[in-house]
């Protein structure tokens, strides 16, 4: 495997890990919402879910944009 292929593989794994971390955060927020009895923890869980969904949508796209190869 060439250095460019190794770099591409490493970057792909980073993108996948970022997405999985976002999904884990969203699940944590959903669990918090489901188990909360008061309004405070439910609001916190909702904020966690919303921020995790925003992370899933924006961070991998930003990393891919930063890592994009220059046009040849």
């Amino acid at each position: 495997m060439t250095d460019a292929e190794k770099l591409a593989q490493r970057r792909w794994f980073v993108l996948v890990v970022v997405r999985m971390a976002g999904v884990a955060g969203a699940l944590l927020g959903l669990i918090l919402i489901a188990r909360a009895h008061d309004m405070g923890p439910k609001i916190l869980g909702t904020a966690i879910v919303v921020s995790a969904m925003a992370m899933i949508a924006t961070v991998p796209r930003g990393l891919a944009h930063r890592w994009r190869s220059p046009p040849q």
Side-chain angles (χ1 to χ4, degrees):
M1 208 184 303
T2 65
D3 288 337
E5 290 173 341
K6 288 180 184 177
L7 180 62
Q9 184 180 26
R10 197 171 328 131
R11 288 178 174 176
W12 183 81
F13 281 128
V14 168
L15 292 175
V16 170
V17 167
V18 167
R19 287 183 185 122
M20 291 174 74
V23 170
L27 288 175
L28 174 70
L30 288 174
I31 290 170
L32 184 61
I33 291 169
R35 292 184 179 224
H37 297 292
D38 296 332
M39 194 59 157
K42 287 188 183 213
I43 292 172
L44 177 63
T46 304
I48 291 172
V49 170
V50 170
S51 64
M53 297 301 280
M55 183 180 117
I56 292 169
T58 59
V59 173
R61 182 177 292 175
L63 289 174
H65 179 72
R66 177 185 289 182
W67 292 335
R68 186 166 295 136
S69 301
Q72 296 180 8

